[in-house]
Amino acid sequence: MDDHVTPSTALSLNELPNVEIDGLPLRINRTPNGVHAKDAISETDLDDPQLYLNRELSHLQFNIRVLEQALDDAHPLLNRLMFLLIFSSNMDEFFEIRVAGLKHQMAMGDDTTAADGRLPKAVLAEISDIAHQQIARQYKILNDTLLPALEQQGLRFRRRAQWTEAQKQWVHERFNNEIMPVISPIGLDPSHPFPRLVNKSLNFIVELEGKDAFGRAGGMAILPAPRSLPRLMALPKALCAEGYSEYIFLSSMIHAHAEELFPGMRVRGCYQFRLTRNADMTVDPEEVSDLASALRGELLARRYGRGVRLEVADNCPDDLTNFLMRQYELDAEDLYRVEGPVNLTRMMSVLGDVDRPELVYRPYTPSVPKTLKIGSMFDSIARNDVLLHHPFQSFSPIEELLREAARDPNVLAIKQTLYRTGAESPIVSALVDAASQGKEVTVVIELRARFDEADNLQLASRLQEAGAIVIYGIMAYKTHAKMLHIVRREKGELRHYAHMGTGNYHSKTAKLYTDYSLLTANKALCADVHKVFQQLSGMGRARKIDTLLHAPFTLHERLVEMIDREAQLAQKGKRGHIIIKCNSLTEPKLIKALYRASQAGVECDLIIRGMCCLRPNLPGISENIRVRSIIGRFLEHTRVFHFHNDGKSETWCSSADFMSRNMFHRVETCFPLLDKKLATRVRKDLETYLVDNCQSWLLQSDGSYRLQDPGDGDAISAQETLLYAFASKS
């Protein structure tokens, strides 16, 4: 087994600190010595804005934690570069959606505030301050740390001043043969107004001197970089210094030969710029009769939304940057001068191009439970529920289950939700195969999965062409639940099978995101999954769901009840403990319930990867609440809710985060782990995260985060420990 686990960061599950609770080992010890009944909770205004952190600023803090990984030499060098580029991509989306939303709110004169009470104008001002600092820091890390370190490892990014004569000749030929034929310079004059430029596209503003063929005096021109060309090109090995792989940016090639695009004129300056636009999509349910057609129109509009950020080369003169800002109606705080390429995300291509295993994470093989390796998938699932923890355990059993269902003549019907999948995925291929063989295949596709709309339109067409019934969910509610339902005839009766998960049906992200998958033939769970599908495809009143929790109907209410139940038990002198793991915690009523639980003496351990609006460690309010964020090799994506419940513990997995949109504006499911062994296993996983002291960031009451330090003790990485525990068994 080849993985990158080292003894310093990964302990076996049995080596972690142990105490007993419910007769089972608990690897944390925060229980007070002796439990006593609590006095009545003092009256506190839990609506006080001072008790809440701002959502957008908290989101920005998550992006900063990602950037910090670029400085962590515990990660291999190319993966550190990857984190820096992910930060760039995250910031693009942050401006496209979050900043754009605040700007739109201000433009509409809407001073509505969230629970923290901060006005949009004040939030935007603070975002601008932090974003300017961190983006400047990003380029400093790239230029001063990562690029020199990569060069020491034989990976060099050649600047124009460093080109050899042979490299200049190669660039010249490449420019003439592949760039010149597809580039379209646009001179600016009364008959050539400033062009509409696509969101996040690479462009150049050019200062010209002289007269052109028509006698027009030089002024300014815009050069849009062809989107069909790669932004980074590898030099032929023969032109590289010995022992080096060398790369040249498309922007450098255009800079070097810009004058050839304006024959007879002098280029006084050529400067990169990039505009980030509002990329959110809104579809009015009262004005739409065909969601797919409406979204196709919105996808085109997204490319030309209102500008929200302008990035320019750091040497661009003020008069040119002011000209660009006037064109896009932007202010000084929207301008970002950058010391390097304005489109850093395009450097991701290097990660796939470079064959240097020693500079990336060592590979590993996800395990497959032994019960799924022998015989039929249906037989295995019928015997016992199966829980998979991706990416430490393989996603392939879900794909294999669908392939087997497609081939099996006893399978009558398959129903599945798809949120982010991809039209060419093995999941979709199996559904197409099943539909082609005459099985009843119904797929609920959420067309409005942000930035995956085009892919989802494509996969909808592919499924429809194969004969599947495609449903686009409920117009006013995104279908975010992850469910699969299979009906099979066995011994003259119908038997039901289901899969429910915390993540998407996407084989690629299943290797990068942590998620849980439950495969079950439990009659109660399968019956509820069947009811949810009926509700999505048909009409009528909300169906009675007995075992699952179901947004927007029962999930929020029951979560509040379960949190309050812990508080009530604690007030009676019983031990209360809650562990919540999800991506975001922003919903005010859930936060208030956690505050009440803390006041009652309930120990609350929250593992929140991204946004968190709850303030921990506030005296009399949240001193029993600890919030940590795990940032590491894998993107933490599991949503798990554990309640001690006076020794009768309950563990739930869900597709939903603790956010208003998940509770009230999406179709979500939350499923209990009814098999006690599986529930215990998941609780142990959670406890592993709670003792992480390598990649765990603790939220402070002021909204900042502090990285845990193992000091002189054992260094424990939760992700490495789980990788060792599961993947090493493959």
Side-chain angles (χ1 to χ4, degrees):
M1 169 60 200
D2 184 20
D3 59 44
H4 72 289
V5 178
T6 60
S8 63
T9 59
L11 304 179
S12 76
L13 295 183
N14 294 326
E15 292 175 316
L16 296 171
N18 245 327
V19 293
E20 292 285 321
I21 186 71
D22 297 348
L24 294 166
L26 177 70
R27 291 192 298 276
I28 56 173
N29 185 9
R30 293 196 175 105
T31 309
N33 293 326
V35 179
H36 306 284
K38 290 282 182 181
D39 296 331
I41 298 171
S42 59
E43 289 295 325
T44 308
D45 180 12
L46 296 182
D47 290 316
D48 184 349
Q50 295 296 319
L51 302 182
Y52 299 87
L53 298 168
N54 180 265
R55 168 182 165 147
E56 277 70 29
L57 295 175
S58 181
H59 193 165
L60 201 48
Q61 285 291 327
F62 164 68
N63 290 339
I64 294 170
R65 294 195 296 281
V66 172
L67 178 59
E68 288 290 340
Q69 307 308 305
L71 292 170
D72 185 352
D73 56 14
H75 299 297
L77 184 56
L78 281 174
N79 293 107
R80 290 169 60 190
L81 175 64
M82 177 193 72
F83 280 113
L84 182 124
L85 304 182
I86 290 173
F87 170 81
S88 188
S89 176
N90 286 355
M91 290 300 290
D92 284 351
E93 184 174 339
F94 182 75
F95 277 93
E96 288 175 298
I97 305 299
R98 307 311 317 168
V99 172
L102 289 169
K103 283 180 171 286
H104 178 72
Q105 187 179 343
M106 284 183 59
M108 299 298 291
D110 181 0
D111 282 339
T112 303
T113 62
D116 66 292
R118 302 186 66 167
L119 292 170
K121 184 176 182 179
V123 176
L124 278 172
E126 190 161 352
I127 286 173
S128 179
D129 288 344
I130 297 172
H132 276 90
Q133 293 171 16
Q134 295 301 324
I135 289 172
R137 182 165 168 257
Q138 173 195 22
Y139 279 90
K140 185 172 179 59
I141 293 170
L142 177 68
N143 293 323
D144 296 351
T145 302
L146 295 183
L147 292 183
L150 288 166
E151 185 160 353
Q152 287 181 356
Q153 295 295 326
L155 299 174
R156 178 182 289 158
F157 297 84
R158 284 272 192 178
R159 299 179 182 273
R160 278 181 292 157
Q162 301 170 325
W163 293 351
T164 65
E165 289 303 316
Q167 289 170 346
K168 289 178 183 178
Q169 181 61 34
W170 181 87
V171 169
H172 181 73
E173 292 175 2
R174 188 94 171 192
F175 182 84
N176 285 336
N177 295 333
E178 298 191 27
I179 299 176
M180 178 80 86
V182 294
I183 199 166
S184 299
I186 304 168
L188 301 182
D189 63 26
S191 63
H192 295 85
F194 197 90
R196 293 181 73 195
L197 301 174
V198 174
N199 181 31
K200 297 186 297 185
S201 59
L202 171 63
N203 303 280
F204 300 83
I205 185 166
V206 182
E207 273 190 302
L208 297 170
E209 189 177 89
K211 291 187 177 182
D212 72 359
F214 299 96
R216 295 175 298 180
M220 285 187 290
I222 300 296
L223 280 178
R227 304 185 76 203
S228 57
L229 296 179
R231 296 301 188 253
L232 199 61
M233 300 185 192
L235 282 166
K237 275 292 183 186
L239 298 181
C240 297
E242 186 176 353
Y244 282 87
S245 296
E246 299 190 347
Y247 296 86
I248 290 180
F249 287 97
L250 174 67
S251 55
S252 296
M253 300 170 77
I254 292 175
H255 270 295
H257 295 279
E259 209 152 82
E260 295 179 30
L261 297 167
F262 306 95
M265 305 187 76
R266 186 169 77 88
V267 172
R268 296 176 55 194
C270 179
Y271 311 98
Q272 300 177 62
F273 73 93
R274 187 176 77 142
L275 180 72
T276 308
R277 297 180 180 271
N278 182 336
D280 210 359
M281 294 175 60
T282 56
V283 178
D284 188 342
E286 296 182 0
E287 297 182 2
V288 171
S289 57
D290 183 341
L291 180 59
S293 296
L295 276 175
R296 288 188 180 96
E298 283 291 311
L299 283 170
L300 292 174
R302 169 187 278 170
R303 301 170 68 185
Y304 300 105
R306 187 177 180 85
V308 295
R309 173 181 63 164
L310 177 66
E311 297 166 277
V312 300
D314 62 328
N315 62 341
C316 185
D318 289 344
D319 60 327
L320 296 187
T321 57
N322 291 335
F323 170 77
L324 291 171
M325 284 194 291
R326 287 195 300 273
Q327 294 298 318
Y328 296 119
E329 299 179 337
L330 295 174
D331 299 320
E333 60 266 26
D334 304 316
L335 174 67
Y336 290 77
R337 292 183 175 276
V338 298
E339 193 179 347
V342 297
N343 53 338
L344 281 182
T345 307
R346 290 296 196 100
M347 288 182 71
M348 281 283 189
S349 61
V350 172
L351 303 179
D353 183 69
V354 174
D355 184 20
R356 296 287 299 277
E358 73 278 15
L359 299 183
V360 296
Y361 295 123
R362 293 179 66 187
Y364 69 98
T365 303
S367 65
V368 175
K370 292 179 181 178
T371 56
L372 298 180
K373 292 181 178 179
I374 303 172
S376 163
M377 290 285 292
F378 291 110
D379 291 344
S380 298
I381 299 167
R383 285 192 295 270
N384 291 294
D385 286 358
V386 178
L387 185 74
L388 301 171
H389 193 175
H390 314 303
F392 318 110
Q393 291 179 292
S394 177
F395 184 74
S396 62
I398 293 93
E399 297 170 338
E400 180 55 35
L401 175 63
L402 273 167
R403 282 192 290 265
E404 186 175 332
R407 298 189 301 263
D408 189 339
N410 294 317
V411 169
L412 306 179
I414 302 172
K415 295 181 180 180
Q416 187 165 14
T417 59
L418 296 180
Y419 191 75
R420 299 187 195 277
T421 300
E424 302 305 319
S425 80
I427 292 283
V428 176
S429 296
L431 291 170
V432 166
D433 188 23
S436 301
Q437 296 192 35
K439 301 183 191 301
E440 291 297 317
V441 176
T442 303
V443 185
V444 182
I445 298 177
E446 182 46 71
L447 293 182
R448 295 161 295 176
R450 185 177 289 151
F451 299 118
D452 280 286
E453 298 92 346
D455 282 347
N456 286 358
L457 285 165
Q458 184 181 349
L459 75 87
S461 297
R462 185 181 176 202
L463 286 164
Q464 286 169 329
E465 289 169 3
I469 298 170
V470 175
I471 299 166
Y472 298 142
I474 310 300
M475 186 63 201
Y477 301 86
K478 285 187 179 182
T479 302
H480 193 249
K482 326 298 183 186
M483 303 182 300
L484 166 65
H485 180 239
I486 298 172
V487 181
R488 187 173 188 253
R489 190 178 299 282
E490 298 178 4
K491 299 178 181 179
E493 297 182 351
L494 296 185
R495 184 76 184 267
H496 297 249
Y497 296 84
H499 168 267
M500 290 172 284
T502 65
N504 299 304
Y505 291 103
H506 199 300
S507 55
K508 289 185 179 179
T509 57
K511 298 174 183 176
L512 303 172
Y513 296 6
T514 68
D515 274 305
Y516 283 113
S517 282
L518 179 69
L519 295 163
T520 183
N522 179 280
K523 290 183 179 180
L525 290 174
C526 290
D528 280 356
V529 170
H530 177 56
K531 290 176 187 176
V532 175
F533 272 113
Q534 286 184 316
Q535 194 161 286
L536 285 169
S537 61
M539 300 187 75
R541 293 187 177 277
R543 295 174 182 268
K544 186 177 185 298
I545 307 294
D546 297 312
T547 309
L548 300 180
L549 302 180
H550 182 204
F553 304 107
T554 61
L555 178 56
H556 181 264
E557 179 183 4
R558 284 285 289 120
L559 285 172
V560 171
E561 287 176 1
M562 287 189 282
I563 295 170
D564 284 343
R565 180 183 64 192
E566 293 294 312
Q568 292 159 9
L569 289 168
Q571 285 186 297
K572 294 176 182 178
K574 300 180 183 297
R575 182 183 182 276
H577 191 200
I578 296 170
I579 308 176
I580 302 294
K581 184 175 186 298
C582 59
N583 300 326
S584 299
L585 169 58
T586 62
E587 203 285 308
K589 291 182 180 178
L590 290 169
I591 293 175
K592 281 186 260 191
L594 289 166
Y595 282 155
R596 291 194 298 269
S598 173
Q599 289 176 314
V602 179
E603 297 291 317
C604 302
D605 285 290
L606 312 181
I607 308 164
I608 313 296
R609 183 195 79 207
M611 295 179 288
C612 181
C613 296
L614 177 150
R615 287 186 187 269
N617 308 317
L618 296 176
I621 305 292
S622 58
E623 66 257 272
N624 292 315
I625 301 178
R626 290 157 297 278
V627 181
R628 70 190 64 232
S629 172
I630 306 291
I631 308 291
R633 172 176 182 173
F634 305 111
L635 183 75
E636 289 298 331
H637 198 252
T638 48
R639 290 105 166 189
V640 186
F641 319 138
H642 175 79
F643 302 93
H644 176 63
N645 191 27
D646 193 26
K648 300 182 287 294
S649 62
E650 295 181 13
T651 303
W652 300 75
C653 296
S654 181
S655 60
D657 287 308
F658 272 37
M659 301 176 71
S660 296
R661 71 184 188 188
N662 299 95
M663 298 296 152
F664 307 118
H665 306 292
R666 290 186 172 186
V667 177
E668 305 273 13
T669 52
C670 180
F671 52 95
L673 296 177
L674 301 176
D675 184 310
K676 293 300 181 184
K677 289 183 179 179
L678 298 183
T680 300
R681 173 186 150 192
V682 169
R683 195 200 66 198
K684 286 177 173 289
D685 291 350
L686 292 172
E687 292 156 5
T688 303
Y689 283 102
L690 296 181
V691 295
D692 185 300
N693 56 19
C694 293
Q695 296 171 323
S696 178
W697 296 75
L698 291 184
L699 175 60
Q700 310 301 299
S701 58
D702 64 357
S704 63
Y705 283 79
R706 178 169 53 83
L707 180 63
Q708 290 281 84
D709 185 348
D712 295 329
D714 289 331
I716 303 170
S717 162
Q719 291 188 356
E720 298 288 354
T721 298
L722 292 168
L723 188 64
Y724 178 84
F726 292 110
S728 63
K729 295 178 181 178
S730 60

